[in-house]
Amino acid sequence: MGLRRLILHGGLQVHSKDKLLVMAFQRRMHALPFSDIQVTDTFWSNWQNKLIEVTLPAQYDQLIGTGRLENFIRTAKGGGEFQGLWFNDSDVYKFLEACAYALTIRKDQKLLGYIDEITELVSAAQADDGYINTYIQLKFPNLRFRNLHMMHEMYCGGHLIEAGVAVQQCLGDERLLNVGIRFADHLSTVFGPEKRQGYCGHEEIELALIRLSEATENSKYRELARWMVESRGQGNSPFVAELADQEATAMWPHGSPFEVNGKYVPEYSQDHAPIREHTKVVGHAVRAMYLYIAAAELASGENDSALEEALERAWNNLVHRRMYVTGGIGPSASNEGFTTDFDLPNLSAYAETCASCGLVFWGQKMLELTGNSDYAEVTERALFNGVLSGISISGDQYFYANPLESRGTHKRTPWFTCACCPPNIARLIGSISQYVASIDEEGLYLHIPVGIQAKFTVSGEPVTIEVESDYPWSGKFKVNFKASKSLKFKLRIRIPEWSEEMETELPGAEEPADYDSGYAVFDRVWKDGDSLTVDLGMEPKWIEADPRVRDNLGRIALLNGPLVYALEEHDLGVAPQLFSPNLDALPEVTKSKVLGGINVISIDGQCDTEFESDDLYLPEGSTPSETRKAKFIPYFAWNNRGPNNMVVWVRRG
Amino acid sequence: MGLRRLILHGGLQVHSKDKLLVMAFQRRMHALPFSDIQVTDTFWSNWQNKLIEVTLPAQYDQLIGTGRLENFIRTAKGGGEFQGLWFNDSDVYKFLEACAYALTIRKDQKLLGYIDEITELVSAAQADDGYINTYIQLKFPNLRFRNLHMMHEMYCGGHLIEAGVAVQQCLGDERLLNVGIRFADHLSTVFGPEKRQGYCGHEEIELALIRLSEATENSKYRELARWMVESRGQGNSPFVAELADQEATAMWPHGSPFEVNGKYVPEYSQDHAPIREHTKVVGHAVRAMYLYIAAAELASGENDSALEEALERAWNNLVHRRMYVTGGIGPSASNEGFTTDFDLPNLSAYAETCASCGLVFWGQKMLELTGNSDYAEVTERALFNGVLSGISISGDQYFYANPLESRGTHKRTPWFTCACCPPNIARLIGSISQYVASIDEEGLYLHIPVGIQAKFTVSGEPVTIEVESDYPWSGKFKVNFKASKSLKFKLRIRIPEWSEEMETELPGAEEPADYDSGYAVFDRVWKDGDSLTVDLGMEPKWIEADPRVRDNLGRIALLNGPLVYALEEHDLGVAPQLFSPNLDALPEVTKSKVLGGINVISIDGQCDTEFESDDLYLPEGSTPSETRKAKFIPYFAWNNRGPNNMVVWVRRG
């Protein structure tokens, strides 16, 4: 398992018999291994502490209480009723993955106990031939892989593999990985170029097989993933035959977005076109993200410009036409996904928490593929807004959908019948260190100025970089260099799009920074004790949307650094839909202890005043108005004081 | 059948053995019989001519082409497959009702032929015991009245009865009425106080039975209707048992709004509370309207203040909290009905054409019950906007939903699988004379200044009133009195709410008008040749909505007289969502020949300008604007030049 580590630390001077695999790992940059990077700032440390102390224990209780673990026990026993939804195994696996990451933050016996207990249950439930899916094993043991479009067997298996890789990499425990390997090996006996044609209705297995290739240094899993990604959308979908197979559809007879008026809808699962011909993001948002993560990995190091260009087209369509300002994606509930360009309704926004997690995962892969900081810009936007809004400040209540307006009917809950989001956000919070910095053979990238302590080597010499930061509450941070020797390498700091005047100070520096691909590059010999001070010039900004976004015409939103702000009725006293800010006044930023400690932004404005009237329609000019001070809070912190009216896009007065 | 006519003409000096029935007919005012009132103005004559020449022949073709008539033929033959939806019989009956009304406008052999042919088919399909419903007869002959909540058997029977009454009253042909009577008699052998408890999931039979009582001078039908109206919502709903009856639910196994998460939803069919306890309009909008029509009739002449007050509460909730400015009602597609107060989204507005028809029907009954012109105000608003938008200017394309904004995806079609709306709007256009004027023992009411020629008697002397009008294009009209003698009676002219300065001129009049219940009352001795000139002072007005209608905050709409105006992309050149009018300028009204001849209203304003940008989100103030002249058209005329962007509520600049 040394290959990944070698590459991460030492660039590409790697020897291996598996040339294909080496090429595949030729990303432009890499995250540091969990053991070598720790988050140190208040903001993310708080989230990570809550993850260990609140989030994961509460999720474990839900896994027990909803019968998710019992399903494995019954499967191991050889029979019994299945409880819950057919893809519930995946929540268990994602929970394990999150526990593994959390244990790199600090040791915790409870979490270790969860992993130990559940690993045993999962191992026991696996069939002798490596197959594992408790729903199918308990309910349809003779219908394995019979309904690929709905049954999520490979999807669940993919999450098993991801969990196995995570537990092995973070804790050195190979038991769960071996379950995953056995499933993957079983899969490769059933599906493949010379075997059965097929892929999963919900992508995930592809990216998992690639992770497995990397973890096991065995290219066969990657090649199976490539075959699945490339087979998809070729016009001979296995799903068409399945939809005509009455025994298959009887496994889920209640209809699905795979079919409308008796006609197969290939877009829903990105089965509409070969991957290299994709031009727009379509269908189910999470599925699209997971497909593109795998495709971005497949493009890495391959000089596969056709694939890379297709991914860039899809990305640009997503980011420039179909993404909420919060990094929420997939506006529509009916397909949990995409609709048309510029269709971004606020009140009915679906913007599933998992989809924003998926956007972060994909964005990071695109960044590693291309080295272009634009991807980090979006990753950061999604992370601090559309992802974090999915979990309560208390760490144990969730949103599945993340609307940009509420009329008081949205409410966080501790769990969902379809509970994909809670463990997804948990694994992302646990692995936040993987998204803030990268290394390549030339040095270190800081994509997001989160406070970290990072260790790596330069020419074999150990280096420690400390970032002292109060991000996202301040745009000022320091980067301290510690090493026993002076060493030459490049330190790249991403310049966010919102930063209009970035100032840096590096005592004794002769050269100013260079600029490359959205990064300020400090290429020099670093001495122990060197300290770079950066001020990104963070201040509140009003933005507007492209006028083709009809729902935002006449509306503006307030941003501060990476954070999108929102206005709640709690803080205005009346429904914020009534409010228009006074744009002549400067928004005032103040630190507040509410909501776990946030920056509040205050601004005066005019409010339409509600009054008792029997007339629903009145002469223009009838509604009185009043001046009110609005206190905006970060969007991620909304709905933590109970349901109420909320807007992100306020009316321009 | 003379009673109705006697009452209509002579007030209440009626002798009958059926005292209950006489009381029941003691409405405060009555429409004139079809034979005594003709529409003469251009606007409605055009619609009525199209009705005869285009609409009804095209609908007949649809009845044939979709198997709706064939279902009757197969039922008469005793077997065969049923085609279409289970309540399709009702479309046939409503079509017949519309044909009957249309034949009072002018004789037409084709329409007479339709009635003749279909009456034979319907008669032949009726079972020996009077039962008739081709769906049940063909598909579930042993499950009559087994699933009252879904199967619409009484609903279809109600439309049969309405059609029978209409054909008899308009043409003197009693054949269809007799089919209806036999169905009603059959129904009264099955259901009733001492018999089986039950009522229909879709109200309609109640109002039909009341019409039947009036047409047959037999109170038993009215009493059955009363029992059904009063039984509803008493907490022991027959639908609860049906939902647990697997044989019943298997008749429609695909779920329905009657049940959510396995729990009965009584609101959907107004089964939530006894009628006298209703405070808000709930559930399916058309069902609610039809229930309230029956209830208003039951309250007439009964001094039933508890019922009357309940109806007024429901009405006020509807009109002051839940009605679109177009008279569209029922914002939600999922239940085809009501949601919460002030929830009136524009883009997703359902506002079913049938629901607005129902609002006109109910409003007229409330007007007849109370004599209060407020009801006519709403009836007029719905008629000229939310109803007429449901049919194309060409007379053969329809909208089922009538949104107040479009982003180009709405499209008229010649028919629907569920085709309730086309024949509903047809029967309303055919019977428009019943909604514009009424008589009582004191004289004539003009509720809507449509051009008419109306005949009635005063103290036994024949009188003709002619209204010369170009309504809704002008607020000026003349009322001419013609009679061989001078006669004293009251002429009441409704003063619309939008009329700020009504001017009247009556040469030789010594007394000015009195004002009563929203009418200007001219109480005098009228001489042959007297001519009253009225100018309602119609001019364009901007209105706004109660600020609790969140979707209309910062928005205004343009009205002119009874017409709501809309702005289409066709007339602005760009999407009208981009437009804000210049409120300092006066809107300019000009006659136009487009769209069948309308008044166009022009006004300058500012448009946000679309520009090619890769950035979906931009600094505030980035979007350039330009001046454009907007040409608003009446809402009812929208989407007659193909799908395009449309708004009713434009942004206040």
Side-chain angles (χ1 to χ4, degrees):
Chain A
M1 312 278 161
L3 180 63
R4 181 180 159 86
R5 186 158 291 228
L6 268 172
I7 291 175
L8 287 169
H9 282 80
L12 301 164
Q13 299 78 26
V14 164
H15 299 281
S16 166
K17 284 169 287 183
D18 197 336
K19 184 159 180 292
L20 184 71
L21 192 66
V22 173
M23 286 189 57
F25 294 158
Q26 291 183 357
R27 303 182 189 105
R28 282 178 189 262
M29 60 182 78
H30 308 268
L32 284 88
F34 282 97
S35 53
D36 296 344
I37 179 166
Q38 291 290 321
V39 169
T40 58
D41 68 23
T42 311
F43 185 84
W44 285 106
S45 293
N46 273 348
W47 282 109
Q48 294 197 326
N49 285 330
K50 274 183 284 189
L51 178 71
I52 294 168
E53 288 157 22
V54 178
T55 307
L56 290 172
Q59 292 193 2
Y60 176 78
D61 291 345
Q62 293 288 351
L63 296 184
I64 296 280
T66 59
R68 279 170 168 82
L69 296 189
E70 182 65 26
N71 288 333
F72 286 94
I73 294 169
R74 291 179 186 175
T75 303
K77 276 191 195 147
E81 206 175 323
F82 179 90
Q83 294 176 67
L85 295 179
W86 61 100
F87 46 80
N88 274 2
D89 289 359
S90 63
D91 303 326
V92 177
Y93 302 138
K94 275 150 75 183
F95 169 79
L96 290 174
E97 187 182 347
C99 287
Y101 299 149
L103 283 161
T104 66
I105 299 161
R106 66 169 196 255
K107 274 272 177 295
D108 183 277
Q109 284 306 320
K110 199 155 49 178
L111 301 195
L112 274 171
Y114 299 154
I115 291 179
D116 204 52
E117 175 201 358
I118 300 175
T119 299
E120 289 302 315
L121 297 183
V122 172
S123 302
Q126 187 165 40
D128 290 341
D129 61 0
Y131 181 87
I132 181 165
N133 182 289
T134 69
Y135 181 77
I136 298 295
Q137 286 169 287
L138 288 173
K139 285 200 67 158
F140 300 104
N142 300 319
L143 295 175
R144 286 183 183 182
F145 299 126
R146 180 66 174 268
N147 180 340
L148 297 180
H149 69 285
M150 278 304 285
M151 284 296 116
H152 288 62
E153 291 155 277
M154 295 191 221
Y155 168 85
C156 290
H159 280 300
L160 164 65
I161 291 166
E162 284 207 272
V165 170
V167 171
Q168 188 274 329
Q169 288 187 339
C170 296
L171 307 171
D173 175 348
E174 299 199 350
R175 289 174 299 160
L176 194 66
L177 179 61
N178 286 332
V179 179
I181 289 171
R182 292 181 62 210
F183 179 81
D185 287 342
H186 174 72
L187 202 64
S188 59
T189 66
V190 179
F191 295 95
E194 307 297 315
K195 299 166 196 157
R196 183 175 155 194
Q197 305 298 299
Y199 36 87
C200 190
H202 194 314
E203 298 93 324
E204 157 66 23
I205 188 68
E206 301 85 351
L207 74 90
L209 289 169
I210 294 167
R211 280 187 84 169
L212 185 63
S213 253
E214 191 162 349
T216 60
E217 300 180 32
N218 185 334
S219 66
K220 81 169 184 178
Y221 305 119
R222 183 184 175 92
E223 288 316 297
L224 182 58
R226 179 186 300 281
W227 174 78
M228 286 180 175
V229 168
E230 307 249 6
S231 302
R232 203 172 197 95
Q234 295 288 356
N236 53 353
S237 174
F239 304 159
V240 173
E242 289 177 4
L243 286 164
D245 172 353
Q246 290 191 6
E247 206 174 357
T249 55
M251 297 170 83
W252 180 252
H254 307 295
S256 80
F258 278 97
E259 212 173 20
V260 170
N261 297 328
K263 201 165 171 291
Y264 174 53
V265 180
E267 288 79 8
Y268 177 63
S269 66
Q270 298 75 44
D271 197 19
H272 59 299
I275 185 79
R276 283 153 213 287
E277 294 171 21
H278 283 207
T279 55
K280 295 187 172 189
V281 286
V282 301
H284 189 275
V286 178
R287 293 171 206 235
M289 294 304 100
Y290 288 8
L291 172 65
Y292 291 140
I293 293 164
E297 287 277 67
L298 292 173
S300 283
E302 300 268 355
N303 284 325
D304 188 343
S305 62
L307 184 54
E308 198 171 324
E309 282 163 18
L311 289 168
E312 282 171 359
R313 280 196 305 271
W315 177 273
N316 287 331
N317 174 251
L318 173 57
V319 169
H320 300 148
R321 297 288 185 265
R322 300 185 177 205
M323 186 182 77
Y324 287 100
V325 68
T326 54
I329 58 172
S332 163
S334 68
N335 66 344
E336 300 194 305
F338 299 107
T339 55
T340 54
D341 287 353
F342 305 110
D343 178 35
L344 295 164
N346 295 306
L347 180 63
S348 64
Y350 199 65
E352 186 185 335
T353 301
C354 279
S356 286
C357 291
L359 178 59
V360 171
F361 303 149
W362 182 28
Q364 192 70 7
K365 293 300 172 201
M366 292 301 288
L367 177 62
E368 293 173 354
L369 172 64
T370 64
N372 184 337
S373 76
D374 288 351
Y375 295 103
E377 187 79 23
V378 173
T379 297
E380 176 182 75
R381 179 66 66 85
L383 195 56
F384 280 97
N385 302 284
V387 167
L388 273 190
S389 63
I391 184 166
S392 65
I393 302 288
S394 62
D396 57 356
Q397 303 257 329
Y398 305 92
F399 272 137
Y400 197 106
N402 294 278
L404 281 77
E405 180 189 354
S406 179
R407 296 187 184 165
T409 59
H410 299 93
K411 195 175 180 314
R412 295 178 181 279
T413 57
W415 198 245
F416 308 101
T417 305
C418 170
C420 48
C421 300
N424 223 351
I425 198 168
R427 64 182 184 144
L428 182 44
I429 290 174
S431 60
I432 208 70
S433 65
Q434 306 298 291
Y435 301 90
V436 300
S438 302
I439 53 166
D440 66 5
E441 59 265 43
E442 296 183 336
L444 187 74
Y445 292 77
L446 292 180
H447 309 303
I448 307 176
V450 163
I452 51 168
Q453 189 178 69
K455 291 175 185 164
F456 55 100
T457 58
V458 175
S459 309
E461 293 292 328
V463 169
T464 297
I465 291 280
E466 279 175 0
V467 179
E468 294 177 53
S469 173
D470 190 27
Y471 206 67
W473 309 125
S474 166
K476 294 180 191 166
F477 58 94
K478 274 171 95 169
V479 184
N480 305 320
F481 173 81
K482 293 182 181 175
S484 52
K485 288 192 183 180
S486 294
L487 291 164
K488 181 172 163 60
F489 68 94
K490 287 183 185 170
L491 175 65
R492 288 179 172 88
I493 312 269
R494 184 176 64 92
I495 309 161
E497 269 179 38
W498 51 260
S499 172
E500 286 174 19
E501 268 191 299
M502 177 176 169
E503 289 179 12
T504 60
E505 201 186 319
L506 183 54
E510 287 156 26
E511 299 283 321
D514 274 345
Y515 298 94
D516 179 32
S517 297
Y519 293 87
V521 187
F522 299 88
D523 185 4
R524 68 197 296 263
V525 176
W526 294 82
K527 297 193 307 288
D528 183 54
D530 274 359
S531 184
L532 170 67
T533 303
V534 181
D535 185 348
L536 297 173
M538 187 190 291
E539 54 185 34
K541 284 194 197 326
W542 290 107
I543 58 154
E544 63 190 29
D546 185 304
R548 289 170 289 187
V549 181
R550 304 299 185 214
D551 285 284
N552 292 341
L553 282 164
R555 297 181 178 277
I556 51 178
L558 185 60
L559 266 52
N560 196 23
L563 294 176
V564 176
Y565 272 69
L567 181 56
E568 283 197 290
E569 186 165 357
H570 287 304
D571 298 310
L572 186 67
V574 297
Q577 290 89 344
L578 298 163
F579 180 79
S580 307
N582 177 2
L583 293 183
D584 297 333
L586 274 184
E588 186 192 346
V589 182
T590 47
K591 279 204 165 303
S592 166
K593 288 183 177 163
V594 302
L595 296 166
I598 56 170
N599 282 359
V600 166
I601 305 184
S602 307
I603 188 156
D604 284 337
Q606 293 296 305
C607 269
D608 288 333
T609 307
E610 293 181 2
F611 57 104
E612 265 315 309
S613 162
D614 258 4
D615 290 322
L616 192 50
Y617 303 104
L618 304 146
E620 188 273 326
S622 301
T623 304
S625 78
E626 55 175 345
T627 301
R628 274 186 186 258
K629 186 178 285 297
K631 295 189 173 182
F632 286 73
I633 62 167
Y635 172 72
F636 76 77
W638 92 277
N639 210 299
N640 275 285
R641 293 164 294 180
N644 75 149
N645 282 289
M646 179 277 292
V647 292
V648 167
W649 290 95
V650 296
R651 288 189 286 132
R652 180 162 32 205
Chain B
M1 314 281 160
L3 180 64
R4 181 180 159 87
R5 187 158 291 230
L6 267 172
I7 292 175
L8 286 169
H9 281 81
L12 303 165
Q13 299 80 24
V14 164
H15 299 280
S16 166
K17 285 167 289 181
D18 198 335
K19 185 161 177 294
L20 184 72
L21 191 66
V22 174
M23 286 188 54
F25 294 159
Q26 290 183 359
R27 303 181 189 104
R28 283 176 190 262
M29 61 182 77
H30 308 266
L32 284 88
F34 282 96
S35 54
D36 296 343
I37 179 166
Q38 291 289 322
V39 169
T40 58
D41 68 23
T42 311
F43 184 84
W44 285 107
S45 293
N46 274 348
W47 282 109
Q48 293 197 326
N49 284 330
K50 273 184 285 188
L51 179 71
I52 294 166
E53 290 158 20
V54 178
T55 307
L56 290 170
Q59 291 194 2
Y60 175 79
D61 291 345
Q62 293 287 351
L63 295 184
I64 297 279
T66 59
R68 279 169 169 82
L69 297 188
E70 183 65 26
N71 288 333
F72 286 94
I73 294 168
R74 291 178 185 174
T75 302
K77 276 189 196 150
E81 205 176 325
F82 179 91
Q83 296 177 66
L85 294 180
W86 60 101
F87 46 80
N88 273 3
D89 288 0
S90 63
D91 303 326
V92 177
Y93 301 140
K94 276 149 75 182
F95 169 78
L96 290 174
E97 188 183 345
C99 287
Y101 299 150
L103 283 162
T104 67
I105 299 162
R106 65 169 197 255
K107 275 272 175 298
D108 184 276
Q109 286 305 320
K110 199 158 45 179
L111 300 195
L112 274 171
Y114 299 153
I115 291 179
D116 204 53
E117 176 200 359
I118 300 175
T119 298
E120 290 301 316
L121 297 183
V122 171
S123 303
Q126 188 166 41
D128 290 341
D129 62 1
Y131 181 88
I132 180 165
N133 182 290
T134 69
Y135 181 76
I136 299 295
Q137 287 169 287
L138 289 171
K139 284 202 69 162
F140 299 104
N142 300 319
L143 295 176
R144 287 184 183 180
F145 299 127
R146 181 65 173 269
N147 180 339
L148 298 180
H149 70 284
M150 276 304 286
M151 285 296 116
H152 288 61
E153 291 155 277
M154 296 191 221
Y155 168 85
C156 290
H159 280 301
L160 164 65
I161 291 167
E162 284 207 272
V165 171
V167 171
Q168 188 275 329
Q169 287 186 341
C170 296
L171 307 171
D173 176 348
E174 299 197 352
R175 288 174 300 161
L176 195 65
L177 178 61
N178 286 332
V179 179
I181 289 171
R182 292 180 63 211
F183 178 81
D185 288 342
H186 174 71
L187 202 63
S188 59
T189 65
V190 178
F191 295 94
E194 307 295 316
K195 298 163 195 159
R196 182 175 156 194
Q197 306 296 300
Y199 36 86
C200 190
H202 194 315
E203 297 95 324
E204 158 65 23
I205 187 67
E206 301 85 351
L207 73 89
L209 288 169
I210 294 167
R211 281 187 83 170
L212 185 62
S213 254
E214 193 164 347
T216 60
E217 300 180 32
N218 186 335
S219 65
K220 80 168 187 182
Y221 306 118
R222 182 183 174 92
E223 288 316 296
L224 182 59
R226 178 185 300 284
W227 174 78
M228 286 179 172
V229 168
E230 307 248 6
S231 303
R232 201 172 198 97
Q234 295 288 353
N236 52 354
S237 173
F239 304 159
V240 173
E242 288 177 6
L243 287 164
D245 172 353
Q246 291 191 3
E247 206 173 358
T249 54
M251 296 170 83
W252 179 252
H254 308 295
S256 80
F258 278 97
E259 215 173 17
V260 170
N261 297 328
K263 203 165 168 291
Y264 174 53
V265 179
E267 289 78 9
Y268 177 63
S269 67
Q270 299 74 45
D271 197 19
H272 59 299
I275 184 83
R276 283 152 214 288
E277 295 171 19
H278 283 206
T279 56
K280 296 187 170 188
V281 288
V282 301
H284 188 277
V286 179
R287 293 171 206 234
M289 295 303 100
Y290 287 8
L291 172 65
Y292 291 140
I293 292 164
E297 287 278 67
L298 291 173
S300 283
E302 300 267 354
N303 285 323
D304 188 343
S305 61
L307 184 54
E308 199 170 323
E309 282 162 19
L311 289 168
E312 282 171 359
R313 281 196 304 271
W315 178 273
N316 287 330
N317 174 251
L318 173 58
V319 168
H320 301 149
R321 299 287 186 266
R322 299 185 176 205
M323 186 182 80
Y324 288 99
V325 68
T326 54
I329 58 173
S332 162
S334 67
N335 66 344
E336 299 195 305
F338 300 107
T339 55
T340 54
D341 287 353
F342 306 110
D343 178 36
L344 294 164
N346 294 307
L347 180 63
S348 63
Y350 199 65
E352 185 185 335
T353 302
C354 278
S356 285
C357 291
L359 178 58
V360 171
F361 303 150
W362 181 29
Q364 193 69 6
K365 293 301 172 198
M366 292 301 287
L367 177 63
E368 292 173 354
L369 172 65
T370 64
N372 184 338
S373 76
D374 289 352
Y375 295 103
E377 188 79 24
V378 173
T379 297
E380 178 183 76
R381 178 68 64 85
L383 196 56
F384 280 98
N385 302 284
V387 167
L388 273 189
S389 62
I391 185 167
S392 65
I393 303 287
S394 61
D396 57 357
Q397 303 258 329
Y398 305 93
F399 272 137
Y400 196 107
N402 294 278
L404 281 78
E405 180 188 354
S406 179
R407 296 187 184 167
T409 59
H410 298 93
K411 193 174 182 312
R412 296 179 181 278
T413 57
W415 198 246
F416 308 101
T417 306
C418 170
C420 48
C421 299
N424 223 352
I425 199 167
R427 64 182 184 145
L428 182 43
I429 290 173
S431 61
I432 207 70
S433 65
Q434 307 297 290
Y435 301 90
V436 301
S438 301
I439 53 165
D440 65 6
E441 58 267 41
E442 296 184 335
L444 187 74
Y445 293 76
L446 292 180
H447 309 303
I448 307 175
V450 163
I452 53 168
Q453 188 177 69
K455 291 174 185 168
F456 54 101
T457 59
V458 175
S459 310
E461 293 293 327
V463 169
T464 298
I465 290 280
E466 280 177 2
V467 180
E468 293 178 52
S469 173
D470 191 26
Y471 205 66
W473 309 126
S474 166
K476 295 180 191 165
F477 58 95
K478 275 171 93 170
V479 184
N480 305 321
F481 174 81
K482 292 183 182 175
S484 52
K485 287 192 184 180
S486 293
L487 291 163
K488 182 173 163 59
F489 68 94
K490 287 182 185 168
L491 175 66
R492 288 179 172 87
I493 312 270
R494 185 175 64 89
I495 310 161
E497 270 179 36
W498 51 260
S499 173
E500 286 173 20
E501 267 192 299
M502 176 174 168
E503 289 179 13
T504 61
E505 201 186 320
L506 184 54
E510 286 154 27
E511 300 281 321
D514 274 345
Y515 298 94
D516 179 33
S517 298
Y519 293 87
V521 187
F522 300 87
D523 184 6
R524 68 195 297 262
V525 176
W526 294 83
K527 299 192 308 285
D528 183 56
D530 275 358
S531 186
L532 168 68
T533 304
V534 181
D535 185 347
L536 297 173
M538 187 189 292
E539 54 186 31
K541 283 192 198 327
W542 291 107
I543 58 155
E544 64 190 28
D546 185 305
R548 289 169 290 187
V549 182
R550 305 297 186 214
D551 285 284
N552 291 342
L553 282 164
R555 296 181 178 276
I556 52 178
L558 184 60
L559 267 52
N560 196 22
L563 295 176
V564 175
Y565 272 70
L567 181 56
E568 284 197 290
E569 185 165 359
H570 287 304
D571 299 309
L572 186 67
V574 296
Q577 291 89 343
L578 298 162
F579 180 79
S580 308
N582 176 2
L583 293 183
D584 298 333
L586 275 184
E588 187 192 347
V589 181
T590 48
K591 278 203 165 304
S592 166
K593 287 183 179 165
V594 302
L595 296 165
I598 56 169
N599 283 359
V600 167
I601 305 183
S602 306
I603 188 158
D604 284 338
Q606 292 298 307
C607 270
D608 288 332
T609 307
E610 293 180 3
F611 57 104
E612 265 316 309
S613 161
D614 258 2
D615 290 321
L616 193 49
Y617 302 105
L618 305 146
E620 188 273 326
S622 300
T623 304
S625 79
E626 55 174 346
T627 300
R628 272 186 188 257
K629 187 179 284 299
K631 294 189 173 183
F632 286 74
I633 62 167
Y635 172 73
F636 75 78
W638 91 277
N639 210 298
N640 275 284
R641 293 164 294 181
N644 74 148
N645 282 289
M646 178 277 293
V647 292
V648 168
W649 291 95
V650 296
R651 289 189 287 133
R652 181 164 26 208

